[in-house]
Amino acid sequence: MHPHHRSWLILKHAYVRAAEIETLLDLYGTVDDIVGQPRSRLSESGLSAEKCDAIATPDEKAISMALDWLEDDRHHLIAWGQEAYPEMLSQIPGPPLALYVNGNVDALHIPALAVIGSRNPTQGGRRNAHDFSRHLAGQGFAIISGLAQGIDTAAHEGALDAGGKTIAFLGTGIDRVYPAANRQLAHAIAADGALVSEYPLGAPPERWHFPERNRLISGLSLGTLVVEAARRSGSLITARLAAEQGREVFALPGSIHNALARGCHELIRQGAKLVETASDILGELRPLAGHMRETADSSGPLEPTAAEPDDDYAELRKALSHDPASIDELEKKSGLTIDQLSSMLLILELHGEVESLSGGRYALTG
Amino acid sequence: MHPHHRSWLILKHAYVRAAEIETLLDLYGTVDDIVGQPRSRLSESGLSAEKCDAIATPDEKAISMALDWLEDDRHHLIAWGQEAYPEMLSQIPGPPLALYVNGNVDALHIPALAVIGSRNPTQGGRRNAHDFSRHLAGQGFAIISGLAQGIDTAAHEGALDAGGKTIAFLGTGIDRVYPAANRQLAHAIAADGALVSEYPLGAPPERWHFPERNRLISGLSLGTLVVEAARRSGSLITARLAAEQGREVFALPGSIHNALARGCHELIRQGAKLVETASDILGELRPLAGHMRETADSSGPLEPTAAEPDDDYAELRKALSHDPASIDELEKKSGLTIDQLSSMLLILELHGEVESLSGGRYALTG
């Protein structure tokens, strides 16, 4: 067992953030020192009572389950500040404290392109996702996606067909596969690439996980290619996150009569690069791949316009308070759908207006 | 007979430019006074010897043919400075001295959209050209195109189907129809809209006429919509002219596997507005239609990048001299195709580097 695993797991299960861990390390020394503090000393750090409680009296069953899982040589816990922690992710707003990885950790350190889109694409869209991914994986780029059906699946498969590396970020615990139909694909991905999750083992595919997970897909990638996406779909949120993270955004145009081209066209109007061939992407990514460490913090090509109308945000802000509320409660109060809420809450969280708490609860910050 | 027709026709047949006519009017009074000057006085104006000769000894046969043509009530000669001369055209670089019009002169004064594209479009492209034109003509916009087969034909027909007005600018004399297959369509256009040409009666469809004619299609229009166009096609020249004239440029995206979407995608990358619906165009044009007189001279949305590689322009400049050369001679000297030469020469002409002379000859200016 890695000496610090238990301590990182305790901190992770306490929902300690990467921003908070720096303060704690400054105060107490190592992660082992942090979790070794008495409850009274811990609270002096400014950490919330809820988090102090979770550190002082950890969920031993969950920790032990994770430690068991980590016994496998292919299973890894990558924590903030470690060499294995991807530089690209350390640069994004709201970086994960730690990641569960099943597979090849080195895959997280090669230049990557995210390929995303609709779960119900056209045949043409599916083929494009496959062909672009195959070509770019063949050129040495890792292909990152979300293991969903449709474009995600085609992207992972394209990379595998080229004998290249592909990475799937999960919206569940690392020990679960969602959707179940992609179990075989998940195995193939983990063989030379990686499955990655920031959720606890056993975590179900909660709806609010997916937009949150999307910031990792865009964040680990030099660029995000949207193949086919409807207006107001999750793919556009990922594209917007990519832009806010200073990453490139690429979109494939399509017929004006194809509803799944609408989202791509919207992105192009907002400044995403219109892509016709894999060479168009290579031309943009190759120079970036040379100095991956410098890519963050530059302003993205998309205007930070709201993906949802301002009225919707006004409704959501009215529904929120400093008392944590579940997404189901917010749904009732705001009249917005869970899908809308999930992405809007993530945007507000990245802007620092909202804090996400354990159990999918949200509260105004400050 | 309109009192000044004969004089305008003499000046037009002498290739006097709109820029020159102002000087001549200042010096001599009316157009009748200009053509009444003795050859010796005329040359004092700074007009070239060739033009002075053509005014002093006009081509009476050609003038008489044009005057006969003008006997028809539906036939018009609209000259620089007249009320019937469209304000939109007076604002462009290289405005025509006069236009031959067959049909309804009022059609030249309503807000217009140019709809252009490939002569060999896909069925989908043809249908889009038709449907957009029908919708916008139904909203009161004149649809302007070039009477060619393919997109042009679909655009004119769409406008006619809506009972709207449509205008065709010809690359031949006004008394000819090219291609001949569009004779019926030409009649239908002239019934309530207009056929327009700046070439002498009987002029054949010379290849260099078409890019030159394109500046009138874009210039009379508030915006130009490119429906389907190959890379390096004439439609892109028209779009570029539109941008240089301060007009809007719209392009329909398409599948990355449709070669005729490539030209549109190139335009979108250069800043043309990506259009999915007729409403997208209406939203842009309606505010402009309110103050048509103010639309000129603003810089266009496209970068003035060469539509042809710089190397090609270098070759062309080497082939050109101050001695007029025919386009066939330039073809031999430069190794460029007639199609390339036609559009490149027009660009250079609009930039003031090249002067076009009678008989399709070109020379360096100055």
Side-chain angles (χ1 to χ4, degrees), chain A:
Chain A
M1 184 179 113
H2 187 289
H4 303 303
H5 271 167
R6 184 181 149 79
S7 301
W8 279 115
L9 287 167
I10 290 172
L11 294 168
K12 182 122 186 75
H13 279 84
Y15 292 89
V16 170
R17 296 158 167 273
E20 293 168 329
I21 198 72
E22 295 286 354
T23 310
L24 296 173
L25 289 169
D26 282 350
L27 281 172
Y28 306 115
T30 68
V31 282
D32 297 337
D33 295 331
I34 296 169
V35 302
Q37 298 299 314
R39 168 73 176 79
S40 54
R41 292 271 335 258
L42 260 186
S43 60
E44 291 167 14
S45 69
L47 214 56
S48 72
E50 196 171 8
K51 291 181 185 183
C52 291
D53 289 345
I55 295 171
T57 54
D59 180 345
E60 292 295 352
K61 198 175 147 203
I63 307 292
S64 150
M65 191 168 120
L67 288 171
D68 284 350
W69 181 83
L70 283 165
E71 289 295 315
D72 189 312
D73 280 351
R74 303 283 297 165
H75 294 176
H76 311 273
L77 184 73
I78 293 178
W80 180 256
Q82 295 178 348
E83 203 178 333
Y85 192 99
E87 172 77 13
M88 292 285 283
L89 284 185
S90 70
Q91 300 164 341
I92 68 172
L97 183 75
L99 292 168
Y100 300 90
V101 179
N102 177 1
N104 175 5
V105 173
D106 293 339
L108 306 182
H109 295 267
I110 63 175
L113 174 75
V115 178
I116 60 169
S118 173
R119 286 188 297 274
N120 299 295
T122 65
Q123 274 304 323
R126 199 184 303 269
R127 194 176 59 237
N128 286 338
H130 181 279
D131 292 353
F132 274 80
S133 299
R134 183 163 49 86
H135 189 89
L136 287 153
Q139 297 289 318
F141 286 88
I143 301 299
I144 300 184
S145 198
L147 200 66
Q149 293 187 300
I151 296 298
D152 286 17
T153 293
H156 291 302
E157 289 177 345
L160 292 172
D161 281 357
K165 291 187 173 38
T166 183
I167 299 163
F169 278 93
L170 312 182
T172 62
I174 188 75
D175 56 338
R176 297 186 61 160
V177 171
Y178 178 83
N182 273 346
R183 186 167 301 277
Q184 281 283 101
L185 177 60
H187 276 287
I189 291 169
D192 190 33
L195 304 172
V196 188
S197 170
E198 63 172 331
Y199 300 106
L201 289 186
E206 302 285 7
R207 287 164 295 190
W208 64 84
H209 285 175
F210 292 92
E212 193 172 62
R213 175 275 316 257
N214 291 350
R215 84 192 193 288
L216 306 181
I217 291 178
S218 58
L220 188 57
S221 306
L222 292 169
T224 291
L225 170 65
V226 183
V227 175
E228 273 191 334
R231 283 246 167 89
R232 312 191 106 210
S233 60
S235 299
L236 301 201
I237 300 295
T238 310
R240 177 150 175 229
L241 293 169
E244 290 189 347
Q245 290 164 344
R247 309 293 190 245
E248 298 293 325
V249 180
F250 304 103
L252 288 188
S255 162
I256 59 171
H257 305 292
N258 175 6
L260 291 176
R262 301 268 159 79
C264 291
H265 293 161
E266 187 172 319
L267 290 172
I268 291 167
R269 283 177 172 147
Q270 290 171 354
K273 293 200 167 64
L274 184 157
V275 164
E276 288 179 316
T277 66
S279 303
D280 292 340
I281 297 176
L282 276 176
E284 298 285 338
L285 290 195
R286 276 219 177 100
L288 295 176
H291 43 87
M292 277 172 60
R293 277 157 201 278
E294 299 168 30
T295 53
D297 301 330
S298 66
S299 66
L302 297 196
E303 292 294 308
T305 51
E308 317 283 333
D310 288 344
D311 287 355
D312 289 356
Y313 275 99
E315 285 306 313
L316 174 54
R317 286 195 182 90
K318 262 192 276 178
L320 284 161
S321 76
H322 291 94
D323 296 322
S326 75
I327 199 157
D328 292 320
E329 289 164 350
L330 292 173
E331 182 188 19
K332 280 191 207 121
K333 281 197 203 169
S334 68
L336 297 162
T337 68
I338 298 278
D339 276 356
Q340 287 175 304
L341 283 170
S342 299
S343 55
M344 291 163 71
L345 285 165
L346 178 62
I347 297 288
L348 291 181
E349 192 183 344
L350 291 175
H351 288 177
E353 284 189 58
V354 162
E355 188 173 24
S356 79
L357 306 162
S358 61
R361 292 170 308 133
Y362 295 87
L364 291 175
T365 53

Side-chain angles (χ1 to χ4, degrees), chain B:
Chain B
M1 185 179 112
H2 188 287
H4 302 304
H5 271 167
R6 183 183 149 79
S7 300
W8 279 115
L9 287 168
I10 291 172
L11 294 168
K12 183 122 184 73
H13 279 81
Y15 291 89
V16 170
R17 293 157 169 275
E20 293 168 328
I21 199 72
E22 295 286 354
T23 310
L24 294 173
L25 288 170
D26 282 350
L27 281 173
Y28 306 117
T30 68
V31 281
D32 297 337
D33 294 331
I34 297 169
V35 302
Q37 297 300 313
R39 168 77 177 75
S40 55
R41 291 269 338 255
L42 262 185
S43 60
E44 290 167 14
S45 68
L47 213 56
S48 73
E50 197 172 3
K51 291 181 185 182
C52 291
D53 290 345
I55 295 172
T57 54
D59 181 344
E60 292 296 352
K61 198 176 147 201
I63 306 293
S64 151
M65 193 168 118
L67 287 172
D68 284 350
W69 181 84
L70 283 166
E71 290 295 315
D72 191 312
D73 280 352
R74 303 282 298 165
H75 295 174
H76 310 273
L77 183 73
I78 294 178
W80 179 256
Q82 294 177 350
E83 202 177 333
Y85 193 100
E87 174 76 15
M88 293 286 282
L89 284 185
S90 70
Q91 300 163 339
I92 68 172
L97 182 75
L99 292 168
Y100 301 89
V101 179
N102 177 1
N104 175 3
V105 173
D106 293 340
L108 306 182
H109 294 268
I110 64 176
L113 174 74
V115 177
I116 60 168
S118 173
R119 286 187 298 273
N120 298 295
T122 66
Q123 275 303 324
R126 199 184 302 269
R127 194 176 57 239
N128 287 338
H130 181 278
D131 292 352
F132 275 79
S133 298
R134 184 164 47 86
H135 189 89
L136 288 153
Q139 296 289 318
F141 286 87
I143 301 299
I144 301 184
S145 198
L147 199 65
Q149 294 187 300
I151 297 299
D152 286 16
T153 293
H156 291 303
E157 288 176 347
L160 292 172
D161 281 357
K165 290 186 176 37
T166 183
I167 299 163
F169 278 93
L170 312 182
T172 62
I174 189 74
D175 55 337
R176 297 185 61 159
V177 171
Y178 178 81
N182 273 346
R183 184 167 301 276
Q184 279 285 101
L185 177 59
H187 277 287
I189 291 169
D192 190 34
L195 305 173
V196 188
S197 170
E198 62 171 333
Y199 299 106
L201 289 187
E206 302 285 7
R207 286 164 296 193
W208 65 83
H209 285 174
F210 292 92
E212 193 174 62
R213 176 274 318 256
N214 291 351
R215 84 190 194 289
L216 305 181
I217 290 178
S218 57
L220 187 58
S221 306
L222 292 168
T224 292
L225 170 66
V226 182
V227 175
E228 273 191 334
R231 284 244 166 89
R232 314 190 103 212
S233 61
S235 300
L236 301 200
I237 300 295
T238 309
R240 179 153 174 230
L241 292 169
E244 291 190 348
Q245 290 164 344
R247 309 293 190 245
E248 298 292 325
V249 180
F250 304 103
L252 288 188
S255 161
I256 58 171
H257 305 293
N258 175 7
L260 290 176
R262 301 267 161 79
C264 291
H265 293 161
E266 188 172 318
L267 289 173
I268 291 166
R269 284 175 171 149
Q270 290 171 354
K273 296 203 164 64
L274 186 156
V275 163
E276 288 178 317
T277 66
S279 302
D280 292 339
I281 297 176
L282 276 176
E284 299 284 339
L285 290 196
R286 276 220 178 99
L288 296 177
H291 43 86
M292 277 172 61
R293 276 156 201 279
E294 298 166 31
T295 53
D297 302 329
S298 67
S299 67
L302 298 193
E303 292 293 308
T305 53
E308 318 281 334
D310 289 342
D311 288 355
D312 289 355
Y313 275 98
E315 285 306 314
L316 174 54
R317 286 194 182 90
K318 263 192 277 177
L320 284 162
S321 75
H322 291 94
D323 297 322
S326 75
I327 201 159
D328 292 321
E329 287 163 352
L330 293 172
E331 182 187 20
K332 280 192 206 121
K333 282 196 203 169
S334 69
L336 297 163
T337 68
I338 297 277
D339 276 356
Q340 288 176 302
L341 282 171
S342 299
S343 54
M344 292 164 71
L345 284 165
L346 178 62
I347 298 289
L348 292 180
E349 193 183 342
L350 292 175
H351 287 176
E353 284 188 60
V354 163
E355 187 172 24
S356 79
L357 306 163
S358 61
R361 292 169 309 136
Y362 295 86
L364 291 175
T365 51

